[in-house]
Each structure stands twice: as structure tokens, then as C-alpha cells.
């Protein structure tokens, strides 16, 4: 199982603090949340031009929790050369158009399912994506509790519908549930608080990797 560290930063300094671990953690891609207040009450710092000037950036994927993602996608693509993937809500307005625009930029695409969205919505787009991300919490603030059985049911339904597609889970990740997620068909977990609220993010990362090997 791949463990991807996530950044949900309140300002530039916090963003840089997260990135200070970028070359210590073993997985080479980082997940950056983009919230502008249009879809959820929460906002975060996401100045692409400033990020683009940071040296030695890792590969980055962008999770857009916004109503109009493509202007943000274009800004990051122009400013940050290490952007590799975008994650779009499966119920995004004019999703087919946004996917087409994103493909033209040669970026990988994942579709995101919030807890109240059924996996079947991904069917028309499955040939255009390489992953489905399932949210383990209600999108917004970091550090929320994993929603439990409703998310596990969503994972199992997604795996049954799309047996060849990678499945990621973001939100509420704790060591105690990682084995169950792996057994349900999850191939990647994305987490911030489970790593960065620990005394040692490096040790926490290792503990999550070990927990993924335990099938409950």
C-alpha cells in the first residue's frame, strides 16, 4: 500500500513546514489540498506562484475541493513544474469538459467520491482516469474521525464495480483501520494528521506501512 503525505496549510510557513519532511519520507509524491471557500466553508493557503519558487519540490498531486477547478489547475500547471496529477470531485459541474481540459495538459486524473456520492457516477469516465479517491470524512478540516462502515461499504462497492482501478482513501486515517482498508481493496492512503501530529512523522509513516500488512 502506498502512503501519501497530505498538505492542508493555513499559510506559506505551514506549507513549507510540511515540505521539510519531503525528502525524508519514502514515497515520492505529495498531496496538496486546494479549498477556496466556494464548495466548503474551509479555505487553505494555495498560492501556486509562491510554491513554484520553492526549490527541490517533490512530485505533487492536487486535490480540488472547489466549484470551478480548471482555473486553479491551469495556474498550478504553469507555475509548478512538478505537478503530476489532479483529483476532481466525481460530481463536478461539466466534469467531462474538465477532464478533457486536464488531459490536454498531460496530467493524470483521479475522481473523488465524497461520502454521500455513489461510485456508479464514475462509470462514464472510467477509461479517462487511473484512480478513484474515497473520502473517509466530510471534506474540510483536517483531523476528523473516520466515518466507518458507510465508507467501507463505499470502498467495497467501488472495488466490485471497477476491479482494475486503484482505490485511494483520504481522511480519518489511523493505524488501527489501515489493515481493514487494505483488505477492502484500498491501494493507497492519503493522510496529514496521522503523520504530522505524531512526535516523529518518519516513525508514524513506518507504523502505517506495517499496519497495512496486517489483514484483519
Amino acid at each position: 500500500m502506498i502512503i501519501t503525505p497530505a498538505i492542508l496549510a493555513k499559510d506559506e510557513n505551514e506549507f513549507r513546514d510540511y515540505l521539510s519532511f519531503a525528502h525524508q519520507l519514502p514515497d515520492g509524491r505529495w498531496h496538496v489540498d486546494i479549498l477556496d471557500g466556494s464548495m466548503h466553508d474551509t479555505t487553505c493557503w494555495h498560492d501556486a506562484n509562491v510554491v513554484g519558487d520553492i526549490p527541490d519540490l517533490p512530485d505533487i498531486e492536487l486535490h480540488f475541493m472547489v466549484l470551478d477547478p480548471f482555473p486553479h489547475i491551469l495556474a498550478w500547471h504553469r507555475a509548478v513544474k512538478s505537478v503530476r496529477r489532479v483529483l476532481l470531485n466525481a460530481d463536478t459541474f461539466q466534469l467531462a469538459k474538465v477532464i478533457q481540459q486536464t488531459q490536454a495538459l498531460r496530467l493524470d486524473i483521479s475522481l473523488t467520491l465524497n461520502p454521500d456520492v455513489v461510485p456508479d457516477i464514475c462509470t462514464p469516465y472510467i477509461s479517462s482516469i487511473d484512480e478513484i479517491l474515497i473520502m473517509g470524512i466530510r471534506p474540510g478540516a483536517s483531523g476528523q474521525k473516520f466515518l466507518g462502515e458507510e465508507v467501507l461499504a463505499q470502498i467495497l462497492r467501488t472495488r466490485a464495480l471497477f476491479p482494475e482501478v486503484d482505490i485511494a482513501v483520504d481522511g480519518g486515517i489511523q493505524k488501527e483501520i489501515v489493515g481493514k482498508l487494505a483488505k477492502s481493496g484500498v491501494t493507497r492512503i492519503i493522510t496529514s494528521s496521522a503523520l504530522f501530529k505524531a512526535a516523529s512523522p518518519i516513525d508514524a509513516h513506518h507504523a502505517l506501512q506495517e499496519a497495512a500488512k496486517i489483514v484483519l
Side-chain angles (χ1 to χ4, degrees):
M1 178 183 285
I2 297 170
I3 301 167
T4 303
I7 297 177
L8 177 60
K10 65 178 183 295
D11 55 35
E12 180 185 347
N13 288 335
E14 187 171 64
F15 191 98
R16 288 177 180 272
D17 285 345
Y18 279 116
L19 279 182
S20 67
F21 293 96
H23 302 294
Q24 301 178 48
L25 295 174
D27 297 319
R29 179 172 296 187
W30 280 55
H31 178 100
V32 176
D33 289 322
I34 309 292
L35 297 103
D36 63 0
S38 63
M39 181 175 286
H40 307 289
D41 291 339
T42 306
T43 62
C44 67
W45 184 87
H46 54 267
D47 190 323
N49 291 319
V50 174
V51 175
D53 288 334
I54 298 174
D56 299 322
L57 286 171
D59 286 350
I60 286 173
E61 65 180 27
L62 302 167
H63 184 186
F64 292 100
M65 291 173 276
V66 303
L67 288 179
D68 188 11
F70 191 69
H72 293 285
I73 294 171
L74 196 57
W76 277 78
H77 181 260
R78 288 172 173 169
V80 184
K81 301 306 181 186
S82 64
V83 172
R84 300 288 180 260
R85 173 188 283 153
V86 300
L87 298 98
L88 303 168
N89 281 0
D91 54 351
T92 294
F93 178 65
Q94 293 187 326
L95 178 59
K97 179 181 179 181
V98 177
I99 287 176
Q100 184 179 37
Q101 292 171 317
T102 303
Q103 287 176 321
L105 300 177
R106 300 184 182 278
L107 296 173
D108 295 335
I109 299 171
S110 299
L111 290 186
T112 301
L113 298 175
N114 290 332
D116 56 348
V117 177
V118 296
D120 309 58
I121 196 174
C122 298
T123 300
Y125 314 105
I126 204 66
S127 63
S128 300
I129 66 172
D130 60 356
E131 181 187 68
I132 295 172
L133 169 66
I134 295 173
M135 294 299 295
I137 59 173
R138 309 290 174 192
S142 179
Q144 298 181 55
K145 184 178 179 181
F146 186 73
L147 289 174
E149 292 302 320
E150 66 177 293
V151 175
L152 293 173
Q154 196 180 34
I155 294 167
L156 292 173
R157 172 65 177 165
T158 302
R159 176 53 68 220
L161 282 172
F162 312 114
E164 303 302 322
V165 175
D166 287 338
I167 297 176
V169 173
D170 179 13
I173 300 297
Q174 296 294 330
K175 182 175 66 173
E176 293 74 19
I177 66 169
V178 170
K180 187 176 290 188
L181 293 177
K183 183 179 179 182
S184 299
V186 173
T187 52
R188 185 167 76 108
I189 55 175
I190 298 164
T191 183
S192 178
S193 58
L195 295 175
F196 299 112
K197 289 188 178 180
S200 167
I202 312 303
D203 290 344
H205 190 282
H206 178 72
L208 290 174
Q209 285 183 318
E210 291 301 305
K213 300 175 184 177
I214 302 172
V215 178
L216 301 182

